[in-house]
Amino acid sequence: EEQQVAFEEIAANLDVDEFGNHLLYGVTGSGKTEVYIHALKKALEQGKGGLVLVPEIGLTPQIVRRFHMIFGDDIAVLHSRLTNRERYDAWRALQKGDKRIAIGARSAVFAPVQNLGLIVVDEEHDSSYKQESPAPRYHGRDAAIVRGKLNDATVILGSATPSMVSLYGARKGKSKYLTLSSRPSGSTLPKVKVLDMKQYKSAMKGPIAIPIYEAIQKAVSKDEQAIL
């Protein structure tokens, strides 16, 4: 249901051909990629192109496989590990409109996608979107937003841990805040408890606070494992 609500907000923006920025906060495993895929389908149906940015080259094959199952040869992949020939072929295919979706790391924000209608910045909080050296120094996420404005495109910033910049922007009305708070599979998120170690100075077992020591003992007694 939450995925449907998020998609409908994005689809409404695609329908009006105006710039719109959406912060999609979704807990891990909540299905953000599924929302991206449906949004891309909608954009392609309207004759528009799409751009998907991922922070790390290492993530590119994983997301490309997922998108390739849906969109086939409509995808051009761009990242720094391509040979000059591969990069040139991908660039030309996008420029000529032979391929309508570009997927890649931060430099793919400059890809010549024709009639660009949708930009997705996955893991928008990731520091690798910031180009430090060499020049030109730019932030892939911010460049994506500017490109969205220039192209009257819909922008989706997706993250399970949104950056403070993006959260503040959503609070100030610079983007629409969309939430995926649960997992479609019904699996539960792990319980997290933060202990203030100052309160346990007199309740320690060596270097470990008593509640942690007891939790480890409980896990071991059930033949489970623990990581410190």
Side-chain angles (χ1 to χ4, degrees):
E1 189 176 326
E2 286 179 320
Q3 285 175 316
Q4 186 65 34
V5 169
F7 167 69
E8 285 173 1
E9 285 280 0
I10 293 161
N13 196 156
L14 284 165
D15 284 336
V16 296
D17 295 323
E18 291 177 0
F19 167 70
N21 191 12
H22 304 78
L23 176 59
L24 181 61
Y25 163 63
V27 297
T28 304
S30 60
K32 293 184 292 296
T33 305
E34 194 69 20
V35 176
Y36 304 157
I37 287 170
H38 278 73
L40 267 173
K41 279 183 179 178
K42 172 90 173 174
L44 294 185
E45 286 168 6
Q46 295 175 333
K48 299 172 183 174
L51 173 59
V52 180
L53 300 181
V54 293
E56 301 284 351
I57 296 169
L59 290 175
T60 310
Q62 179 185 337
I63 201 162
V64 166
R65 276 196 301 272
R66 179 86 183 271
F67 279 69
H68 198 272
M69 288 169 62
I70 310 294
F71 303 105
D73 292 332
D74 226 350
I75 295 171
V77 181
L78 294 163
H79 56 73
S80 59
R81 289 185 187 165
L82 297 176
T83 64
N84 286 339
R85 180 72 204 188
E86 288 171 330
R87 194 177 295 120
Y88 173 79
D89 287 344
W91 193 270
R92 285 289 291 154
L94 289 166
Q95 197 173 48
K96 293 194 299 183
D98 294 340
K99 295 182 185 290
R100 297 185 293 165
I101 301 170
I103 299 179
R106 79 181 159 233
S107 61
V109 73
F110 303 114
V113 178
Q114 298 302 298
N115 194 23
L116 183 61
L118 179 71
I119 302 174
V120 174
V121 184
D122 193 30
E123 308 293 351
E124 63 84 26
H125 63 275
D126 201 286
S127 60
S128 62
Y129 279 121
K130 182 79 169 71
Q131 166 77 0
E132 298 287 355
S133 183
R137 293 171 181 84
Y138 65 95
H139 199 300
R141 178 196 62 219
D142 297 345
I145 293 169
V146 172
R147 188 161 183 203
K149 288 179 180 176
L150 292 172
N151 287 267
D152 291 325
T154 300
V155 178
I156 306 172
L157 308 178
S159 177
T161 54
S163 65
M164 294 302 291
V165 170
S166 296
L167 283 171
Y168 184 74
R171 182 173 289 182
K172 288 293 182 181
K174 292 182 178 180
S175 62
K176 186 158 282 189
Y177 188 61
L178 306 173
T179 308
L180 303 178
S181 60
S182 59
R183 293 170 166 175
S185 60
S187 59
T188 56
L189 291 164
K191 292 177 182 176
V192 178
K193 188 173 181 180
V194 180
L195 300 184
D196 181 357
M197 296 303 286
K198 291 176 185 175
Q199 296 180 8
Y200 291 92
K201 283 183 179 177
S202 59
M204 301 288 288
K205 185 78 171 177
I208 302 171
I210 290 295
I212 299 173
Y213 174 76
E214 290 175 346
I216 294 168
Q217 272 199 322
K218 186 176 178 181
V220 171
S221 70
K222 295 193 289 184
D223 288 331
E224 294 176 345
Q225 295 180 319
I227 296 176
L228 289 177

